[in-house]
Amino acid sequence: ARAQAAAWLTPDTELRADPQTGRVEALRHRASAAAWADRPFPLFRVSGSEHLRTELAARTTPDGILLTLRITNPGAQPQLVTPTFPDLQLRGTNAADHAQLRYCFPARVALIGSSNQSDRAFYSGICPVQFLAADHPARGSLHVVICDTNHTRKLFGLDKTGEVLRLFAEHEARQLPPGGEWVLPPVLLATTGGTWHAGLAAYRRWLDSWYRPAAKNQRWSFRMGPRKV
Protein backbone atom coordinates (compact mmCIF):
# COMPACT_ATOMS: atom_id res chain seq x y z
CA ALA A 1 0.00 0.00 0.00
CA ARG A 2 1.13 3.52 -0.77
CA ALA A 3 2.36 5.50 2.22
CA GLN A 4 0.41 8.53 3.34
CA ALA A 5 1.64 11.74 1.76
CA ALA A 6 3.66 14.04 3.96
CA ALA A 7 3.01 17.78 3.91
CA TRP A 8 5.49 20.65 4.07
CA LEU A 9 4.45 24.28 4.25
CA THR A 10 6.26 27.59 3.97
CA PRO A 11 4.58 31.00 3.79
CA ASP A 12 4.68 30.71 -0.03
CA THR A 13 4.65 27.00 -0.85
CA GLU A 14 2.66 23.87 -0.04
CA LEU A 15 4.05 20.46 -1.02
CA ARG A 16 2.36 17.12 -0.36
CA ALA A 17 4.28 14.05 -1.50
CA ASP A 18 4.79 10.37 -0.70
CA PRO A 19 8.17 10.13 1.10
CA GLN A 20 8.82 6.62 -0.29
CA THR A 21 7.98 7.13 -3.96
CA GLY A 22 8.23 10.90 -4.35
CA ARG A 23 4.73 11.02 -5.86
CA VAL A 24 3.59 14.65 -5.66
CA GLU A 25 -0.07 14.94 -4.72
CA ALA A 26 -0.16 18.73 -4.36
CA LEU A 27 2.20 21.60 -5.13
CA ARG A 28 0.73 25.07 -4.68
CA HIS A 29 1.64 28.71 -4.30
CA ARG A 30 -0.28 29.45 -1.12
CA ALA A 31 -1.01 33.15 -1.60
CA SER A 32 -2.73 32.63 -4.95
CA ALA A 33 -3.75 28.96 -4.49
CA ALA A 34 -2.23 28.35 -7.92
CA ALA A 35 -1.59 24.62 -8.46
CA TRP A 36 1.55 23.28 -10.17
CA ALA A 37 0.54 19.62 -9.94
CA ASP A 38 -2.77 19.27 -11.75
CA ARG A 39 -1.79 15.63 -12.10
CA PRO A 40 0.42 13.67 -9.67
CA PHE A 41 4.03 13.18 -10.79
CA PRO A 42 7.13 11.59 -9.20
CA LEU A 43 9.61 14.12 -7.82
CA PHE A 44 12.42 11.60 -8.33
CA ARG A 45 13.20 8.48 -10.36
CA VAL A 46 15.74 5.78 -9.50
CA SER A 47 16.98 3.30 -12.10
CA GLY A 48 18.36 0.07 -10.64
CA SER A 49 16.99 -2.82 -8.65
CA GLU A 50 13.31 -2.65 -7.72
CA HIS A 51 14.39 -3.65 -4.21
CA LEU A 52 16.18 -0.37 -3.53
CA ARG A 53 14.71 1.74 -0.75
CA THR A 54 14.11 5.43 -1.25
CA GLU A 55 13.17 8.05 1.30
CA LEU A 56 12.39 11.70 0.69
CA ALA A 57 12.87 14.03 3.66
CA ALA A 58 12.38 17.77 3.86
CA ARG A 59 12.64 20.80 6.07
CA THR A 60 11.38 24.32 5.55
CA THR A 61 13.74 27.27 5.15
CA PRO A 62 13.24 31.00 4.49
CA ASP A 63 13.91 30.32 0.80
CA GLY A 64 11.62 27.31 0.37
CA ILE A 65 11.44 23.58 1.05
CA LEU A 66 14.81 21.82 1.21
CA LEU A 67 14.41 18.23 -0.01
CA THR A 68 16.82 15.33 0.56
CA LEU A 69 16.68 11.94 -1.17
CA ARG A 70 18.27 8.90 0.48
CA ILE A 71 18.73 5.65 -1.51
CA THR A 72 19.58 2.41 0.32
CA ASN A 73 20.52 -1.01 -1.03
CA PRO A 74 19.14 -3.55 1.48
CA GLY A 75 20.05 -6.54 -0.71
CA ALA A 76 22.99 -8.94 -0.69
CA GLN A 77 24.29 -7.87 -4.13
CA PRO A 78 25.77 -4.56 -5.30
CA GLN A 79 23.43 -2.44 -7.42
CA LEU A 80 24.16 0.15 -10.11
CA VAL A 81 21.94 3.13 -9.33
CA THR A 82 21.06 6.10 -11.58
CA PRO A 83 18.84 8.66 -9.81
CA THR A 84 17.00 11.58 -11.36
CA PHE A 85 16.32 14.25 -8.75
CA PRO A 86 14.57 16.60 -9.10
CA ASP A 87 12.20 15.59 -11.88
CA LEU A 88 9.50 18.20 -12.50
CA GLN A 89 6.66 17.33 -14.87
CA LEU A 90 4.32 20.25 -15.36
CA ARG A 91 1.15 20.56 -17.44
CA GLY A 92 -1.42 23.18 -18.33
CA THR A 93 -5.12 22.72 -17.75
CA ASN A 94 -5.64 22.68 -21.54
CA ALA A 95 -3.61 23.23 -24.71
CA ALA A 96 -3.84 27.03 -24.60
CA ASP A 97 -2.90 27.12 -20.92
CA HIS A 98 -0.03 24.68 -21.44
CA ALA A 99 1.36 26.86 -24.23
CA GLN A 100 1.86 29.64 -21.67
CA LEU A 101 4.16 27.55 -19.47
CA ARG A 102 7.60 29.12 -19.79
CA TYR A 103 10.92 27.53 -18.84
CA CYS A 104 14.33 28.82 -17.82
CA PHE A 105 17.05 26.30 -18.66
CA PRO A 106 20.50 27.87 -18.14
CA ALA A 107 22.71 25.66 -20.31
CA ARG A 108 25.22 26.62 -23.04
CA VAL A 109 23.03 29.60 -23.80
CA ALA A 110 20.18 30.25 -21.38
CA LEU A 111 16.99 28.91 -22.94
CA ILE A 112 14.05 31.02 -21.83
CA GLY A 113 10.78 30.54 -23.66
CA SER A 114 7.50 28.72 -23.99
CA SER A 115 7.92 26.99 -27.35
CA ASN A 116 8.47 23.23 -27.61
CA GLN A 117 12.14 22.54 -26.92
CA SER A 118 14.51 19.77 -25.87
CA ASP A 119 18.04 20.14 -24.54
CA ARG A 120 20.62 18.38 -22.36
CA ALA A 121 23.76 19.71 -20.68
CA PHE A 122 26.22 18.23 -18.21
CA TYR A 123 27.06 20.41 -15.23
CA SER A 124 30.36 21.93 -16.33
CA GLY A 125 31.91 25.13 -17.59
CA ILE A 126 29.40 24.93 -20.42
CA CYS A 127 26.49 24.63 -17.98
CA PRO A 128 27.79 26.15 -14.73
CA VAL A 129 24.42 26.89 -13.11
CA GLN A 130 22.47 24.52 -10.84
CA PHE A 131 18.90 25.78 -10.98
CA LEU A 132 15.83 25.20 -13.14
CA ALA A 133 12.65 27.25 -13.27
CA ALA A 134 9.24 27.62 -14.86
CA ASP A 135 6.66 30.37 -14.80
CA HIS A 136 3.12 31.04 -15.98
CA PRO A 137 1.01 34.22 -16.18
CA ALA A 138 -1.61 32.85 -13.77
CA ARG A 139 0.46 30.53 -11.57
CA GLY A 140 3.54 32.61 -10.86
CA SER A 141 6.83 30.72 -10.76
CA LEU A 142 8.30 27.43 -9.60
CA HIS A 143 12.01 26.81 -9.21
CA VAL A 144 14.48 24.24 -7.93
CA VAL A 145 18.07 24.84 -6.83
CA ILE A 146 20.36 21.80 -6.70
CA CYS A 147 22.45 22.64 -3.64
CA ASP A 148 25.55 20.67 -4.61
CA THR A 149 28.77 22.18 -3.27
CA ASN A 150 30.80 19.12 -4.35
CA HIS A 151 30.15 19.63 -8.08
CA THR A 152 29.16 16.00 -8.68
CA ARG A 153 28.59 14.98 -12.28
CA LYS A 154 24.99 15.37 -13.39
CA LEU A 155 23.01 15.89 -16.58
CA PHE A 156 20.44 18.67 -16.70
CA GLY A 157 17.50 18.21 -19.03
CA LEU A 158 14.64 20.16 -20.60
CA ASP A 159 11.76 18.71 -22.59
CA LYS A 160 8.73 20.73 -23.54
CA THR A 161 6.14 19.12 -25.78
CA GLY A 162 2.47 19.78 -26.37
CA GLU A 163 1.73 17.50 -23.39
CA VAL A 164 4.28 18.22 -20.67
CA LEU A 165 7.10 20.49 -19.55
CA ARG A 166 9.83 18.40 -17.92
CA LEU A 167 12.85 19.84 -16.09
CA PHE A 168 15.26 17.44 -14.40
CA ALA A 169 18.75 16.58 -13.17
CA GLU A 170 20.05 13.04 -13.72
CA HIS A 171 22.98 12.11 -11.48
CA GLU A 172 25.84 9.94 -12.72
CA ALA A 173 25.38 6.24 -11.93
CA ARG A 174 26.96 4.88 -8.76
CA GLN A 175 27.51 1.34 -7.50
CA LEU A 176 25.84 0.77 -4.14
CA PRO A 177 27.30 -2.13 -2.12
CA PRO A 178 25.07 -4.36 0.03
CA GLY A 179 23.78 -2.21 2.87
CA GLY A 180 25.16 0.91 1.22
CA GLU A 181 23.34 4.20 0.96
CA TRP A 182 23.55 7.35 -1.15
CA VAL A 183 22.27 10.72 0.02
CA LEU A 184 21.90 13.01 -2.97
CA PRO A 185 22.63 16.75 -2.89
CA PRO A 186 19.68 18.63 -1.39
CA VAL A 187 17.18 20.34 -3.67
CA LEU A 188 15.54 23.63 -2.73
CA LEU A 189 12.01 23.90 -4.12
CA ALA A 190 9.85 27.03 -3.98
CA THR A 191 6.93 28.77 -5.64
CA THR A 192 6.47 32.53 -5.94
CA GLY A 193 4.00 34.99 -7.39
CA GLY A 194 6.64 36.25 -9.82
CA THR A 195 8.67 34.87 -12.73
CA TRP A 196 11.71 32.63 -13.22
CA HIS A 197 13.85 35.53 -11.98
CA ALA A 198 12.89 34.49 -8.43
CA GLY A 199 14.71 31.20 -9.02
CA LEU A 200 17.79 33.05 -10.21
CA ALA A 201 17.70 35.23 -7.08
CA ALA A 202 17.40 32.12 -4.86
CA TYR A 203 20.32 30.50 -6.65
CA ARG A 204 22.45 33.60 -6.13
CA ARG A 205 21.61 33.65 -2.40
CA TRP A 206 22.59 30.00 -2.07
CA LEU A 207 25.79 30.58 -4.03
CA ASP A 208 26.71 33.58 -1.87
CA SER A 209 26.30 31.42 1.25
CA TRP A 210 29.33 29.28 0.39
CA TYR A 211 31.10 30.28 -2.84
CA ARG A 212 34.32 32.23 -2.41
CA PRO A 213 35.98 33.45 -5.64
CA ALA A 214 39.56 32.38 -6.20
CA ALA A 215 40.37 35.92 -7.33
CA LYS A 216 39.25 39.17 -5.71
CA ASN A 217 37.94 40.54 -9.00
CA GLN A 218 35.87 37.45 -9.80
CA ARG A 219 32.11 37.84 -9.98
CA TRP A 220 29.23 35.50 -10.81
CA SER A 221 27.37 35.79 -14.12
CA PHE A 222 24.03 34.11 -14.86
CA ARG A 223 25.10 33.16 -18.38
CA MET A 224 28.72 32.34 -17.62
CA GLY A 225 28.96 31.27 -13.99
CA PRO A 226 32.01 32.49 -12.01
CA ARG A 227 34.09 34.86 -14.13
CA LYS A 228 36.61 37.68 -13.80
CA VAL A 229 35.47 41.25 -14.38
Side-chain angles (χ1 to χ4, degrees):
R2 193 167 71 231
Q4 184 176 2
W8 298 283
L9 299 173
T10 71
D12 290 325
T13 305
E14 174 188 1
L15 172 64
R16 297 182 185 275
D18 185 326
Q20 295 179 2
T21 66
R23 177 185 168 95
V24 174
E25 302 289 350
L27 177 55
R28 298 185 182 93
H29 179 56
R30 298 182 67 192
S32 65
W36 283 96
D38 288 335
R39 304 180 195 173
F41 66 86
L43 198 53
F44 63 81
R45 297 171 183 267
V46 178
S47 299
S49 168
E50 62 181 14
H51 301 296
L52 292 168
R53 292 177 185 164
T54 54
E55 181 183 2
L56 187 69
R59 63 181 178 88
T60 58
T61 76
D63 279 322
I65 300 170
L66 193 66
L67 301 159
T68 303
L69 176 61
R70 182 185 305 271
I71 305 169
T72 306
N73 176 15
Q77 300 296 325
Q79 300 289 343
L80 186 65
V81 181
T82 306
T84 301
F85 177 60
D87 192 351
L88 300 178
Q89 298 172 54
L90 312 174
R91 293 174 171 84
T93 55
N94 53 47
D97 187 68
H98 183 74
Q100 296 187 81
L101 275 173
R102 183 169 64 161
Y103 47 80
C104 175
F105 184 74
R108 303 164 185 82
V109 175
L111 295 177
I112 301 168
S114 56
S115 61
N116 289 355
Q117 182 72 257
S118 183
D119 199 11
R120 302 288 186 275
F122 280 101
Y123 178 58
S124 64
I126 296 175
C127 177
V129 182
Q130 299 189 85
F131 91 96
L132 302 162
D135 62 26
H136 184 277
R139 300 186 195 182
S141 73
L142 167 67
H143 62 262
V144 287
V145 176
I146 295 83
C147 303
D148 181 8
T149 59
N150 294 318
H151 311 293
T152 56
R153 187 167 172 81
K154 62 183 75 68
L155 179 70
F156 288 98
L158 157 70
D159 289 311
K160 186 176 184 187
T161 68
E163 300 295 327
V164 65
L165 167 59
R166 184 179 180 221
L167 296 162
F168 65 90
E170 180 183 291
H171 298 256
E172 188 173 50
R174 181 179 297 186
Q175 190 93 346
L176 275 189
E181 69 174 26
W182 181 3
V183 179
L184 274 74
V187 170
L188 179 71
L189 179 148
T191 63
T192 79
T195 66
W196 63 264
H197 296 84
L200 174 59
Y203 182 71
R204 283 174 167 158
R205 287 193 295 273
W206 171 74
L207 200 67
D208 287 344
S209 73
W210 67 273
Y211 176 69
R212 298 294 178 267
K216 290 183 178 180
N217 62 338
Q218 194 173 46
R219 295 293 184 268
W220 188 85
S221 161
F222 170 43
R223 295 180 183 277
M224 299 177 63
R227 64 184 178 91
K228 290 184 178 181
V229 294

